[in-house]
């Protein structure tokens, strides 16, 4: 029920909302903030603009609203990109790799 996700966040961890939007075929316009740059590939699933640049953000939204063909392209390519890069098993494995201490450090498992 939405044409575009507007995501003007200044800082994120790894945001699920833009990932879910793209996976649902909804292009994203977002600030190129920490975390968001990992969840949205500029020009693939939507548009990233400079953090805090309200005029650029509004223009990106207007341009995408006025271009249904470009939105459709982002909907398709964004869905594919998220599916390829954020399979839950890969994400969980990566998270486990980060939080596990090496056995040589004497960590308990």
């Amino acid at each position: 029920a939405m044409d575009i996700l507007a995501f003007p966040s200044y800082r994120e961890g790894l945001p699920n909302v833009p990932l879910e939007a793209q996976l649902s075929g909804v292009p994203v316009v977002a600030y190129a903030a920490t975390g968001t740059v990992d969840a949205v590939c500029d020009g693939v699933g939507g548009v990233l603009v400079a953090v805090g640049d309200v005029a650029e953000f509004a223009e990106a939204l207007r341009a995408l609203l006025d271009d249904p063909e470009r939105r459709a392209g982002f909907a398709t390519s964004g869905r594919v990109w998220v599916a390829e890069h954020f399979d839950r098993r890969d994400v969980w494995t990566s998270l486990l790799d980060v939080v596990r201490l090496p056995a040589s450090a004497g960590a308990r498992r």
Side-chain angles (χ1 to χ4, degrees):
M2 107 177 28
D3 294 321
I4 300 169
L5 171 68
F7 196 72
S9 179
Y10 281 78
R11 182 168 168 70
E12 292 290 328
L14 178 63
N16 285 319
V17 172
L19 291 171
E20 291 168 350
Q22 292 169 95
L23 203 52
S24 298
V26 176
V28 178
V29 173
Y31 283 152
T34 301
T36 304
V37 296
D38 299 316
V40 179
C41 185
D42 188 37
V44 175
V47 179
L48 294 174
V49 302
V51 174
D53 190 333
V54 176
E56 185 182 9
F57 192 87
E59 180 52 38
L61 284 170
R62 277 189 211 101
L64 206 48
L65 281 170
D66 291 342
D67 193 342
E69 192 172 302
R70 188 170 176 222
R71 281 198 320 270
F74 283 157
T76 300
S77 59
R79 185 181 304 118
V80 169
W81 184 81
V82 170
E84 288 177 352
H85 292 89
F86 291 92
D87 179 273
R88 69 177 180 270
R89 292 167 298 239
D90 296 337
V91 171
W92 293 340
T93 299
S94 295
L95 287 171
L96 284 173
D97 290 345
V98 168
V99 298
R100 284 187 176 144
L101 293 175
S104 62
R108 292 188 200 175
R109 296 191 189 250

